[in-house]
């Protein structure tokens, strides 16, 4: 009765949402949608009236504040609105009204920022981040935002009414929303240019805020082959309220003196005009004369059409078709291998075959060499065919990316590739920095830049890594590895990177990005692009400009971009804590939500947050200590996609923390133009987040940790990562002596939760290897004992992360050590596989129950 009574009082647009919330309680959803769906939602007209503020204290001690308010709602308008300035007042009153047209499928979050105007630069006093979801239609809502503890307040009125526009259809996966995209093409009438008879060169500057292109510059004089005027093209969202602006600009080049070749360019705007974007009829070419003022005008011929082709970004949380096909083929191979390994009477049914993943941590050449040894050990135990996924970070990705150039590598003796790697690692790296190679590097980077690609230090590092690993130019690409998994003949490779912010610590914000032979994407958002299309330009889910797929060396530079660390990151890793004083200078975030002011509480509405800017030195210190000057920058293929109004219902987001970026939708990656992809070690130094996703349903994880300190850190960080997102993961418990003197292998499992994977963890230790050359066979000669008696860690160790050259013996020791550690723990591995088989059978029976 209570539920029916409650539903009866809610507006129609809230019924489905609240009904689901009541049925599901407060439990957040697992993954959203496996695939995209179409939804139709109404438009609403939102009126925001900035009334007044009270008790405002400005930054000038000698006078009162000169206040104004900025309004930012990027999901509805590309324009940042602002009130007028009220001079010298602690209680400014504006009574100014602003209008927005919003789409109800999108998470619309309004930012209100109070400024104190100054002659040079205005000081930001405070910001309010307000989710407009939950404003009841047709009811005036007056809200007083408490800005600070000393009675500073801001009064704002909100009014929401349904728009007369027809509901708009969108494509969504429950997290991201793709709205209709318009293709605006036009020409500038060249005959009109004859009216411009000014000294110097003239050009038209066309701007369409909110579009992908933003601004275009076109010379007044068309090319000789342009018979129909000067063409231009814009891409923009259908729901975006914007104006096409046209400026006529004259540029004069002035020599500084009569002798020097130096010159300066001076530009003058001769006239400007605008065309309301929504005044254009879709699908109809129209002629428009735009007055520019001062007796000037320009003739435009424009046509706006809706792009009807399918999305080029795959929206969904399921595995791509090619990976699912791989799994079907791989299950047959794994089934046969498990029968032989576990000495079963018959092949396990393919639906009862456990999914086994092998993970290699980061650690530069140390990780590369060690991963070769671990894989060799698995091969000698005939276990490579039991593995479904191989995943790595940093140096481990270097190992995998070289191995997968051979499409049959796991069916061949690994001693050949290991010997080849030994030759490269033990050779001198001096030639990598010769004038000849430096010239080659800059020619390559210059070619990329001229092609319109973003170039960074990470790309240069990739070319250097290419020489370190192969000492020749490698033309292969990641998509070439499709041949290596086409028949399920090798485990499926997953390479890891994380998307970070240039001035945010990786511990605070890092989004895992997976690279496979078929797709690159973020499982957090359920957004993927074909591997062949990575580093191309996308907007609103559509491919706007295709660039060639980057060579794999550029990905190797990104996957192992240790140089992308900020000073704060380095200090955190070396000392164990970052620059704590930066936190005291940082922004203060407080929740100031007052639910009583709403007619009802929308369960999908974000709480209102108050952001008080940090001290005046914050930006200077952040730029110096936290900036990643060498982060790899690439085009964001999610640009132009919006967050769904219900995105916070999914477990993939951390919205419980007041300061976490996940709770600020206007700051999340879809709203950014670029991705900053770096070494995954800046978050967790092992790619656990890529294989523990429910979609991959992994039963057993063999974790190889190649760090020489904190042997269980990756497990503890993964446990925290999973706890924040409600992902099943076994409890990680160990004794203090294990941390100080770790053993070769540890097993972690959760007997009460069959969804939690069994984790077999191998720290990098030289323990029984000193005494035994093979399991059970002791070393006898002094030469054998001397070979195995070495320390992995230490300031004089050759295995430091930034050392890229080992002697042949140093390389061989590391490979043999890791191979031995696998062979010496065959019983633990077989036990994990057997438990994984039992767990899979249990899950299989559970799935068929009614």
């Amino acid at each position: 009765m209570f539920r029916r009574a409650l539903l009866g009082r809610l507006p129609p647009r809230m019924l489905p949402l609240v009904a689901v919330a009541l049925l599901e309680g407060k439990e957040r959803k697992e993954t959203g949608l496996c695939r995209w769906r179409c939804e139709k939602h109404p438009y609403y007209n939102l009126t925001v009236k900035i009334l007044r503020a009270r008790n405002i204290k400005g930054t000038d001690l000698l006078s009162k504040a000169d206040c104004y308010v900025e309004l930012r709602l990027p999901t509805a308008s590309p324009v940042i609105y602002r009130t007028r300035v009220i001079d010298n007042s602690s209680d400014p009153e504006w009574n100014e009204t602003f209008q927005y047209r919003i789409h109800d499928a999108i998470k619309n979050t309004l930012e209100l920022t109070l400024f104190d105007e100054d002659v040079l630069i205005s000081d930001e006093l405070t910001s309010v981040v307000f989710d407009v979801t939950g404003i009841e239609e047709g009811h005036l809502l007056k809200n007083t935002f408490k800005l600070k503890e000393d009675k500073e307040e801001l009064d704002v009125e909100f009014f929401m009414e349904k728009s007369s526009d027809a509901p708009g259809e969108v494509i969504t996966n429950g997290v991201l929303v793709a709205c209709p995209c318009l293709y605006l093409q036009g020409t500038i009438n060249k005959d009109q240019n004859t009216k411009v008879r000014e000294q110097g060169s003239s050009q038209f500057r066309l701007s369409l805020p909110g579009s992908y292109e933003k601004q275009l510059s076109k010379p007044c004089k068309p090319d000789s082959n342009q018979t129909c005027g000067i063409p231009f093209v814009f891409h923009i969202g259908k729901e975006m309220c914007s104006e096409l602006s046209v400026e006529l600009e004259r540029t004069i080049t002035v020599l500084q003196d009569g002798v020097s070749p130096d010159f300066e360019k001076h530009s003058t705007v001769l006239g400007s005009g605008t065309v309301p974007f929504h005044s254009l009829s879709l699908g109809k070419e129209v002629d428009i004369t735009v007055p520019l003022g001062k007796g000037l005008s320009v003739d435009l011929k424009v046509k706006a059409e809706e792009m009807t082709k399918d999305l080029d970004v795959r929206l969904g949380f399921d595995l791509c078709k090619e990976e699912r096909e791989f799994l079907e083929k791989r299950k047959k191979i794994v089934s046969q291998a498990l029968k032989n390994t576990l000495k079963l009477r018959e092949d396990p049914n393919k639906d009862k075959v456990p999914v086994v993943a092998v993970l290699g941590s980061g650690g530069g050449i140390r990780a590369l060499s060690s991963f070769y040894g671990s894989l060799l050990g698995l091969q000698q135990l005939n276990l490579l065919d039991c593995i479904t996924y191989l995943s790595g970070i940093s140096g481990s990705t270097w190992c995998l990316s070289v191995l997968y150039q051979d499409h049959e590598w796991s069916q061949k003796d690994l001693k050949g590739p290991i010997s080849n790697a030994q030759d490269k690692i033990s050779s001198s790296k001096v030639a990598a920095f010769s004038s000849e190679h430096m010239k080659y590097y800059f020619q390559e980077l210059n070619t990329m830049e001229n092609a319109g690609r973003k170039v960074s230090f990470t790309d240069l590092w990739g070319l250097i890594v290419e020489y370190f690993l192969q000492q020749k130019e490698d033309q292969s690409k990641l998509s070439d590895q499709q041949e290596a998994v086409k028949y399920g003949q090798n485990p499926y490779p997953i390479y890891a990177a994380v998307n970070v912010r240039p001035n945010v610590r990786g511990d605070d914000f890092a989004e895992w990005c997976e690279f496979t032979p078929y797709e690159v994407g973020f499982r957090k958002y359920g957004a993927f692009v074909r591997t062949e299309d990575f580093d191309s330009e996308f907007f609103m889910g559509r491919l706007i400009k295709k660039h060639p797929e980057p060579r794999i060396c550029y990905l190797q530079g990104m996957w192992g971009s240790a140089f992308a660390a900020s000073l704060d990151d380095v200090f955190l890793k070396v000392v164990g804590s970052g620059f704590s004083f930066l936190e005291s200078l940082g922004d203060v975030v407080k929740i100031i939500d007052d639910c009583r002011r709403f007619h009802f509480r929308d369960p999908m509405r974000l709480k209102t947050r108050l952001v008080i800017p940090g001290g005046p030195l914050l930006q200077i210190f952040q730029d110096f200590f936290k900036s990643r000057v060498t982060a790899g920058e690439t085009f964001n293929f999610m640009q132009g996609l919006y967050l769904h109004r219900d995105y916070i219902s999914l477990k993939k987001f951390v919205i419980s923390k007041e300061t976490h970026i996940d709770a600020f939708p206007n700051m999340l990656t879809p709203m950014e133009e670029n991705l900053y992809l770096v070494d995954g070690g800046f978050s967790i130094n092992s790619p656990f987040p890529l294989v523990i996703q429910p979609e991959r349903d992994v039963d057993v994880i063999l974790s190889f940790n190649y760090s020489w300190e904190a042997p269980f850190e990756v497990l503890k960080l993964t446990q925290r990562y999973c706890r924040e997102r409600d992902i099943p993961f076994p409890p990680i418990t160990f004794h203090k002596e294990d941390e100080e003197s770790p053993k070769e292998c540890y097993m972690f499992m959760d007997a009460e939760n069959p969804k939690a994977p069994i984790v077999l963890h191998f720290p990098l230790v030289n323990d029984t290897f000193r005494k035994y050359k093979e399991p059970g066979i002791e070393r006898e000669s002094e030469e054998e004992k001397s070979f195995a008696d070495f320390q992995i860690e230490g300031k004089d160790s050759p295995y430091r992360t930034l050392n890229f050259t080992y002697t042949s013996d140093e390389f061989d020791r590391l490979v043999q050590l890791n191979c031995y550690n696998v062979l010496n723990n065959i019983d633990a591995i077989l036990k994990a596989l057997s438990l994984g088989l039992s767990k899979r059978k249990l899950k299989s029976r559970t799935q068929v129950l009614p």
Side-chain angles (χ1 to χ4, degrees):
M1 291 294 292
F2 170 76
R3 290 183 178 182
R4 282 201 294 268
L6 175 62
L7 294 174
R9 293 199 298 268
L10 295 177
R13 73 187 184 105
M14 292 299 300
L15 289 175
L17 179 64
V18 177
V20 169
L22 288 172
L23 291 173
E24 297 186 354
K26 295 183 178 180
E27 183 178 353
R28 297 169 72 199
K29 300 177 185 176
E30 183 79 19
T31 57
L33 298 174
C34 286
R35 301 185 62 196
W36 59 267
R37 69 185 176 204
C38 289
E39 291 183 357
K40 187 173 286 188
H41 290 255
Y43 289 96
Y44 286 87
N45 294 325
L46 172 66
T47 302
V48 182
K49 187 174 184 179
I50 307 299
L51 300 175
R52 65 189 64 83
R54 286 183 289 276
N55 306 312
I56 304 301
K57 295 181 180 179
T59 56
D60 192 341
L61 299 178
L62 301 178
S63 65
K64 296 181 180 179
D66 304 319
C67 290
Y68 67 92
V69 178
E70 278 190 356
L71 300 86
R72 182 173 178 265
L73 185 55
T75 51
S77 172
V79 179
I80 298 176
Y81 298 122
R82 58 175 287 180
T83 65
R84 68 186 186 277
V85 178
I86 305 297
D87 295 324
N88 197 32
S89 174
S90 301
D91 303 297
E93 186 167 345
W94 294 280
N95 292 314
E96 294 188 48
T97 301
F98 303 90
Q99 302 284 343
Y100 294 99
R101 173 178 170 269
I102 64 175
H103 195 281
D104 197 45
I106 298 170
K107 176 61 74 176
N108 294 288
T109 307
L110 177 66
E111 299 175 25
L112 303 171
T113 306
L114 183 66
F115 286 91
D116 180 6
E117 188 179 54
D118 203 347
V119 176
L120 297 177
I121 185 171
S122 297
D123 296 312
E124 181 181 339
L125 301 180
T126 188
S127 291
V128 173
V129 182
F130 180 73
D131 183 357
V132 302
T133 308
I135 298 179
E136 189 172 4
E137 177 189 348
H139 287 76
L140 185 68
L141 172 67
K142 181 179 178 181
N143 210 345
T144 298
F145 296 106
K146 305 290 184 180
L147 302 183
K148 291 183 181 178
E149 295 179 359
D150 47 0
K151 298 183 180 181
E152 292 191 8
E153 297 177 333
L154 177 66
D155 290 343
V156 184
E157 277 185 358
F158 301 93
F159 185 75
M160 185 91 74
E161 61 179 352
K162 200 168 186 177
S163 171
S164 60
D165 296 338
E169 189 172 76
V170 299
I171 295 173
T172 181
N173 63 358
V175 169
L176 294 179
V177 174
C179 294
C181 181
L182 299 185
Y183 177 76
L184 177 66
Q185 58 181 335
T187 56
I188 303 172
N189 189 321
K190 67 176 184 178
D191 294 335
Q192 188 64 37
N193 299 343
T194 58
K195 294 184 179 180
V196 184
R197 303 191 180 281
E198 303 285 344
Q199 182 182 4
S201 61
S202 299
Q203 64 178 1
F204 288 106
R205 193 177 299 277
L206 297 94
S207 303
L208 186 59
S211 67
Y212 179 75
E213 293 77 9
K214 295 182 181 61
Q215 190 176 85
L216 301 172
S217 294
K218 298 290 182 178
C220 286
K221 185 177 180 180
D223 295 337
S224 57
N225 59 350
Q226 294 173 347
T227 59
C228 300
I230 305 166
F232 61 89
V233 169
F234 286 100
H235 297 82
I236 192 170
K238 185 178 180 181
E239 81 294 336
M240 189 61 63
C241 297
S242 190
E243 288 186 333
L244 176 64
S245 172
V246 184
E247 286 186 351
L248 180 60
E249 186 180 77
R250 181 187 65 193
T251 302
I252 299 177
T253 302
V254 181
L255 293 176
Q256 291 187 351
D257 55 55
V259 180
S260 172
D262 296 334
F263 58 86
E264 293 181 354
K265 288 187 176 182
H266 299 277
S267 298
T268 304
V269 176
L270 302 178
S272 63
T274 59
V275 178
F277 181 66
H278 279 279
S279 67
L280 304 177
S281 300
L282 291 184
K284 183 179 180 181
E285 188 174 69
V286 295
D287 294 308
I288 302 174
T289 298
V290 183
L292 302 179
K294 302 179 182 178
L296 295 173
S297 64
V298 63
D299 293 338
L300 303 180
K301 187 183 291 289
V302 295
K303 182 180 182 180
E305 295 182 288
E306 186 172 327
M307 299 181 70
T308 57
K309 70 170 185 173
D310 293 338
L311 296 183
D312 298 302
V313 175
R314 183 174 74 87
L315 297 182
F317 295 93
D318 58 336
L319 305 178
C320 69
K321 177 176 70 70
E322 293 82 2
E323 186 173 344
R324 296 197 305 270
E325 291 173 351
F326 163 84
L327 290 174
E328 288 300 309
K329 298 169 184 174
R330 188 65 180 174
K331 284 177 183 178
K332 299 176 182 178
I333 297 173
V334 173
S335 177
Q336 180 64 47
L338 284 175
K339 176 191 174 185
N340 298 333
T341 299
L342 299 179
K343 295 180 172 39
L344 305 175
R345 293 182 178 179
E346 58 184 16
D347 296 355
N349 183 284
K350 67 174 186 176
D351 295 327
K352 299 177 183 178
V353 171
V355 177
V356 181
V358 171
L359 311 185
S361 80
I365 297 298
R366 181 181 66 247
L368 176 146
S369 308
S370 297
F371 208 14
Y372 272 118
S374 301
L375 294 175
L376 178 62
L378 293 172
Q379 185 180 66
Q380 292 182 1
L381 294 174
N382 297 315
L383 293 178
L384 283 183
D385 281 346
C386 298
I387 299 166
T388 301
Y389 291 108
L390 268 180
S391 185
I393 272 183
S394 188
S396 293
T397 66
W398 298 346
C399 171
L400 291 181
S401 59
V402 174
L403 277 177
Y404 275 86
Q405 290 185 355
D406 183 344
H407 299 160
E408 305 289 339
W409 73 266
S410 68
Q411 310 305 314
K412 300 177 181 178
D413 191 341
L414 275 175
K415 291 180 180 178
I418 290 174
S419 177
N420 184 54
Q422 184 178 27
D423 292 341
K424 302 300 187 295
I425 300 306
S426 61
S427 64
S428 172
K429 307 298 186 296
V430 174
F433 304 100
S434 66
S435 58
E436 179 183 358
H437 276 90
M438 295 302 290
K439 181 180 179 182
Y440 159 69
Y441 299 154
F442 287 107
Q443 284 176 341
E444 285 285 299
L445 299 179
N446 190 53
T447 301
M448 287 176 58
E449 192 170 36
N450 290 338
R453 304 273 283 273
K454 296 182 182 294
V455 177
S456 68
F457 179 83
T458 302
D459 298 305
L460 173 59
W461 171 235
L463 291 169
I464 296 172
V465 169
E466 176 185 55
Y467 183 85
F468 286 177
L469 300 183
Q470 307 205 52
Q471 296 182 0
K472 64 179 182 179
E473 186 174 331
D474 181 6
Q475 290 296 326
S476 67
K477 302 177 178 65
L478 179 56
S479 62
D480 296 337
Q481 296 181 14
Q482 293 173 9
E483 290 296 320
V485 295
K486 188 174 182 180
Y487 306 105
Q489 70 269 39
N490 299 300
Y492 197 77
I494 307 173
Y495 304 90
V498 290
N499 179 51
V500 296
R501 295 298 164 84
N503 60 352
V504 178
R505 183 188 296 168
D507 282 3
D508 296 330
F509 182 77
E511 298 176 326
W512 286 82
C513 181
E514 62 182 56
F515 291 75
T516 75
Y518 292 104
E519 283 192 329
V520 176
F522 293 86
R523 206 153 290 277
K524 170 181 177 177
Y525 295 102
F528 303 87
V529 295
R530 297 189 320 149
T531 301
E532 295 90 335
D533 293 335
F534 176 71
D535 208 24
S536 291
E537 300 178 50
F538 290 80
F539 185 63
M540 302 188 72
R542 281 84 176 178
L543 180 61
I544 301 298
K545 185 175 182 181
K546 178 76 171 79
H547 294 297
E549 181 186 354
R551 294 195 289 126
I552 201 163
C553 67
Y554 295 113
L555 301 183
Q556 291 169 335
M558 177 196 305
W559 297 332
S561 52
F563 296 105
S566 64
L567 289 177
D568 191 38
D569 285 325
V570 172
F571 202 76
L572 180 65
K573 297 298 181 185
V574 174
V575 180
S577 63
F579 294 104
S580 56
F581 73 92
L582 289 176
E583 308 307 321
S584 63
L585 294 175
D587 297 344
V588 176
V589 179
K590 297 181 179 179
I591 292 179
I592 58 170
D593 217 32
D594 187 354
C595 301
R596 294 171 299 176
R597 295 183 177 275
F598 288 86
H599 295 281
F600 57 86
R601 173 67 172 151
D602 186 337
M604 294 299 107
R605 180 180 164 273
L606 285 167
K607 294 181 179 179
T608 303
R609 283 165 165 78
L610 175 71
V611 181
I612 303 172
L617 297 178
L618 173 64
Q619 194 62 49
I620 297 173
F621 280 114
Q622 277 192 338
D623 288 344
F624 183 74
F625 290 108
K626 289 193 172 185
S627 291
R628 305 173 187 276
V629 294
T630 62
E633 194 174 337
T634 187
F635 298 105
N636 180 11
F637 57 82
M638 290 185 286
Q639 184 184 355
L641 298 174
Y642 298 122
L643 287 162
H644 193 275
R645 55 171 289 146
D646 302 341
Y647 86 93
I648 65 172
S649 68
L650 304 187
K651 296 179 179 180
K652 296 182 180 292
F653 291 85
V654 181
I655 49 89
S656 57
K657 296 181 180 179
E658 295 180 6
T659 59
H660 201 282
I661 296 180
D662 283 358
F664 293 81
N666 293 348
M667 295 175 62
L668 282 174
T669 301
M671 304 299 289
E672 299 290 321
E673 293 184 13
N674 302 313
L675 300 174
Y676 295 92
L677 296 172
V678 299
D679 191 323
F682 289 116
S683 179
I684 302 173
N685 198 31
S686 190
F688 276 96
L690 300 185
V691 300
I692 58 175
Q693 297 295 338
E695 295 80 17
R696 292 206 160 100
D697 199 16
V698 172
D699 300 289
V700 179
I701 297 175
L702 272 61
S703 163
F704 293 99
N705 181 53
Y706 304 128
S707 298
W708 66 15
E709 56 187 12
F712 304 100
E713 181 184 39
V714 295
L715 296 179
K716 291 187 288 186
L717 291 175
T718 302
Q719 183 176 242
R720 186 182 72 180
Y721 179 94
C722 292
R723 188 187 305 120
E724 291 174 343
R725 295 162 179 82
D726 294 330
I727 298 174
F729 195 73
I732 305 302
T733 56
F734 50 86
H735 300 292
K736 184 177 181 180
E737 54 265 28
D738 290 319
E739 197 159 25
E740 295 173 351
S741 181
K743 295 179 292 188
E744 294 168 350
C745 181
Y746 295 83
M747 181 182 290
F748 302 94
M749 60 183 297
D750 187 345
E752 298 181 357
N753 187 354
K755 292 185 177 181
I758 299 163
V759 176
L760 212 60
H761 187 63
F762 292 79
L764 180 58
V765 294
N766 185 2
D767 188 9
T768 60
F769 180 68
R770 297 178 189 273
K771 186 176 180 181
Y772 297 93
K773 59 182 178 182
E774 294 179 24
I777 302 177
E778 293 190 18
R779 299 184 183 277
E780 297 177 354
S781 69
E782 290 302 319
E783 183 180 356
E784 289 177 340
K785 294 178 181 178
S786 175
F787 176 82
D789 187 16
F790 68 98
Q791 291 286 339
I792 300 172
E793 71 281 355
K795 63 178 182 178
D796 297 325
S797 170
Y799 302 119
R800 300 182 306 277
T801 302
L802 295 183
N803 182 25
F804 297 97
T805 304
Y806 300 163
T807 66
S808 291
D809 278 350
E810 290 166 349
F811 178 88
D812 195 31
R813 281 172 172 170
L814 208 52
V815 170
Q816 288 196 35
L817 167 65
N818 285 277
C819 178
Y820 169 86
N821 284 350
V822 171
L823 298 176
N824 198 42
N825 288 279
I826 177 61
D827 292 339
I829 297 174
L830 294 181
K831 181 181 178 181
L833 292 177
S834 181
L835 290 171
L837 182 62
S838 300
K839 189 159 72 76
R840 174 59 64 170
K841 290 179 179 178
L842 178 62
K843 285 199 289 188
S844 179
R845 286 198 299 268
T846 304
Q847 290 170 356
V848 299
L849 290 176

